[in-house]
Amino acid sequence: QVQLQESGPGLVNPSQTLSLTCTVSGASISRGTYYWTWIRQPPGKGLEYLGRIYTTGIIDYNPALKSRVTISGDASKNQFSLNLNSVTAADAAVYYCARNVLRYFDFWGQGTLVTVSS
Amino acid sequence: SYDLTQPPSVSVSPGQTASITCFGDDLGDKYVSWYQQKPGQSPMLVIYQDVKRPSGIPERFSGSNSGNTATLTISGTQTVDEAEYFCQIWDSSFAVFGGGTKLTVL
């Protein structure tokens, strides 16, 4: 069974960088035809795709956030990470990591809530 | 950017059929996925590639997609189906989600 677990600070200061890590078990982020993805959900709102990294290291980003988002992978730890810089209150959300196969997301992490406040 | 429009809410009586729609330009030309999300939980895939059900999803969940409209249908709706439902497609190289529909079973 594939499992994903997000980790990282729950509180980030405005204008600083939000950094999260997703640890994957039951699958390898460097093998197979999968993308490893970040998605967020502001409280009480809908889902927003942030970006993804393929097993070969190819990365796609949501064009709306591309200038602030960086996704990277560490195959040795079977983890992938999200960095979002220059955060504002609008970036407060539950951040999910998920596995993307073809055009859908079949496994999701439990999500981690990030608050932006000084 | 591509927009997916869902009704904010749908109500259904237990045992009846619930239909949740998702509208988008030429949506029938794209593969649509549907996710169920209960309060405090992460989304769960219930339909992919328009009509397919992942293992473990009850047969009462079905999907269709034609023209500008995709529909998630829940036959014989149960109280456990009360949740928010999101449709999703790929536009170029990134995912787009609908705004979500809150399904109330009462």
Side-chain angles (χ1 to χ4, degrees):
Chain A
Q1 177 77 339
V2 178
Q3 293 184 314
L4 300 95
Q5 178 68 59
E6 305 87 352
S7 59
L11 179 64
V12 181
N13 290 324
S15 80
Q16 299 301 302
T17 297
L18 179 162
S19 296
L20 298 174
T21 296
C22 182
T23 301
V24 178
S25 59
S28 169
I29 69 164
S30 59
R31 289 197 294 272
T33 54
Y34 306 113
Y35 285 86
W36 302 93
T37 306
W38 288 98
I39 294 163
R40 70 180 181 181
Q41 185 174 33
K45 296 188 178 181
L47 298 163
E48 181 178 32
Y49 169 83
L50 301 179
R52 63 182 182 174
I53 182 167
Y54 191 51
T55 51
T56 59
I58 294 173
I59 301 172
D60 292 326
Y61 296 114
N62 183 332
L65 293 164
K66 188 174 183 178
S67 63
R68 297 199 294 132
V69 174
T70 303
I71 293 174
S72 59
D74 186 339
S76 66
K77 296 181 179 178
N78 215 32
Q79 296 175 335
F80 61 106
S81 299
L82 170 74
N83 280 351
L84 178 66
N85 60 36
S86 305
V87 299
T88 69
D91 295 310
V94 175
Y95 284 76
Y96 296 101
C97 55
R99 189 177 80 168
N100 167 212
V101 56
L102 296 178
R103 288 178 167 78
Y104 54 91
F105 305 99
D106 59 351
F107 291 99
W108 296 65
Q110 66 183 31
T112 187
L113 176 63
V114 176
T115 301
V116 178
S117 175
S118 55
Chain B
S1 63
Y2 194 92
D3 289 327
L4 291 173
T5 302
Q6 298 182 237
S9 62
V10 168
S11 295
V12 65
S13 299
Q16 299 303 301
T17 297
S19 296
I20 299 173
T21 54
C22 178
F23 298 93
D25 289 340
D26 297 322
L27 187 56
D29 295 338
K30 304 177 185 297
Y31 274 137
V32 176
S33 303
W34 290 92
Y35 303 86
Q36 176 194 72
Q37 186 179 34
K38 297 182 178 181
Q41 297 184 16
S42 54
M44 179 177 70
L45 180 70
V46 294
I47 292 290
Y48 66 100
Q49 293 180 357
D50 294 340
V51 300
K52 297 181 180 180
R53 275 181 295 105
S55 173
I57 299 302
E59 291 184 7
R60 64 180 181 273
F61 287 86
S62 63
S64 64
N65 184 21
S66 180
N68 296 322
T69 306
T71 303
L72 173 68
T73 301
I74 309 173
S75 304
T77 307
Q78 300 180 8
T79 55
V80 295
D81 300 327
E82 185 163 290
E84 187 142 28
Y85 291 84
F86 296 91
C87 58
Q88 174 256 317
I89 58 97
W90 281 90
D91 180 34
S92 298
S93 61
F94 65 97
V96 177
F97 292 91
T101 298
K102 171 70 171 128
L103 176 67
T104 301
V105 183
L106 46 69

